[in-house]
Amino acid sequence: MSGLFITFEGGEGSGKSTQIKLVKTWLEETFPGREILVTREPGGTPEAELIRNILVTGAAEKLSVEAEALLMIASRTEHVQKVIIPALQRGAMVLSDRFSDSTLVYQGLAHDLPVEELIAIHEFGFDDLQPDITFLLDVPAELGLQRAEHRQYAQKNPKSEAESRFEEKGIAFHQRVRAGFLALADRYPGRVIVIDASQSPEHSDKQVKAHLAARLPDRP
Ligand code: TMP
């Protein structure tokens, strides 16, 4: 596959969507004519977005952790097969807001499901697709949750307000999420780049672009 697959990971309020927008604009300017596809998980296809709705709305306790993990991986399988692989085969640069690492961390390390079994279920769904680069936007859980709450309040957006199921899992859970992502960065040091996202969006953007500028060729 001739494309490039970049994922953005992190806890709540880590600023992934802002960074993705900034990177998209920069890639479009740096590689004119190259297809840049922005997508997200859970979601990314009409059916996967339906599964997203089940996952991110309602009471925190409404699903068993096992069912939650299987739904995440089911939606990812649709997304990979129908959107990500075809785009990479076309030569696109794909920017995904979350991917498999989120399941290994949220359902695995933070909710105590066995990570190796989760990896095996992913392999059943779509063999072994790994991102080329993963930016982990690292922020203390307290700060991230404050930002996420503030964002929902500021947007006054009933849809995003309804998408707060994971935020309601509590601070201890989100502390485990942060530690889990950092453990994953240790496990995959060549792929996962840790970005200090505790300061301004501009500060995160500088770190992300410095890494991309060093890593990507000047021209496609
Ligand atoms: P978002 O807020 O980044 O759109 O993601 C929605 C929520 O879903 C977020 O709280 C993290 C959670 N999530 C998982 O628990 N496991 C996963 O595999 C994915 C993709 C997301």
Side-chain angles (χ1 to χ4, degrees), residues 9-13 16 40-43 52 55-56 68-69 72-73 75-76 97-107 111 122 151 163-167 169 173-174:
E9 298 280 4
E12 318 306 307
K16 292 178 284 94
R40 71 162 179 186
E41 291 203 347
R52 175 188 177 93
L55 282 162
V56 302
E68 190 176 286
M72 290 291 179
I73 302 171
S75 70
R76 178 162 308 120
D97 187 335
R98 299 194 182 280
F99 193 60
S100 313
D101 293 328
S102 278
T103 303
L104 303 188
V105 169
Y106 278 79
Q107 284 69 47
H111 261 318
H122 278 96
R151 183 183 55 210
E163 288 202 343
S164 58
R165 184 171 159 259
F166 280 87
E167 280 154 43
K169 291 195 182 214
F173 175 77
H174 289 284

Side-chain angles (χ1 to χ4, degrees), residues 11 37 40 57 74 76 99 106 125 128 135 156 158 177 201 207 218:
L37 181 84
R40 71 162 179 186
T57 63
R76 178 162 308 120
F99 193 60
Y106 278 79
D128 186 28
F135 289 108
K156 292 197 180 71
V177 166
Q207 298 169 72
D218 289 341

